Amino acid sequence: MEKNKPIIVVLGPTASGKTELAVSLARFIQGEIISADSRQIYRGLSIGTGKDLDVYQNGGVPVKYHLIDILDVGEPYSVAHFQFDALKAIEKVEAMGQQVIICGGTGLYLDALL
């Protein structure tokens, strides 16, 4: 994969089909998904956050994802933490020769990253 390939962003409100679209795309173009959702980072907050973790595993080759279920509820996390973690994840995905797909609906996170 070429260096500095454009990053694909799937953005929209909760329950709009972002995850299914991003996973289908990742399977088609050999990508990995980096979540840009301020709630999905927390373990135990599956109800109401639309994690849909089964979508990543079912229906074909499992798709790797990043920045989901990385913290316990109550642990502090800011947009600066997200920037750092997302940039690390982007570097890791690109180093593996995979396409980066950012998927989420937290506009502040997306603004800070892009």
Side-chain angles (χ1 to χ4, degrees):
M1 183 158 124
E2 65 189 64
K3 280 271 191 196
N4 301 321
K5 191 169 186 173
I7 293 173
I8 296 170
V9 177
V10 179
L11 158 70
T14 301
S16 62
K18 295 182 304 292
T19 300
E20 287 189 19
L21 175 61
V23 168
S24 294
L25 184 59
R27 285 192 175 116
F28 186 71
I29 63 172
Q30 296 183 335
E32 293 185 22
I33 296 171
I34 299 171
S35 175
D37 187 292
S38 64
R39 306 281 189 295
Q40 290 186 4
I41 60 169
Y42 292 110
R43 290 184 281 272
L45 289 184
S46 295
I47 297 174
T49 60
K51 288 181 188 175
D52 299 325
L53 295 179
D54 58 322
V55 174
Y56 293 92
Q57 304 301 321
N58 298 335
V61 176
V63 172
K64 291 184 182 178
Y65 57 85
H66 306 267
L67 305 185
I68 296 177
D69 288 341
I70 61 170
L71 297 173
D72 291 322
V73 174
E75 288 186 65
Y77 198 76
S78 69
V79 69
H81 290 107
F82 171 76
Q83 280 180 309
F84 180 81
D85 291 342
L87 289 172
K88 264 191 350 189
I90 289 168
E91 289 175 5
K92 180 179 176 183
V93 172
E94 287 179 338
M96 297 298 294
Q98 301 295 306
Q99 172 66 53
V100 174
I101 301 170
I102 307 292
C103 179
T106 302
L108 180 61
Y109 279 15
L110 290 166
D111 285 345
L113 182 59
L114 301 175

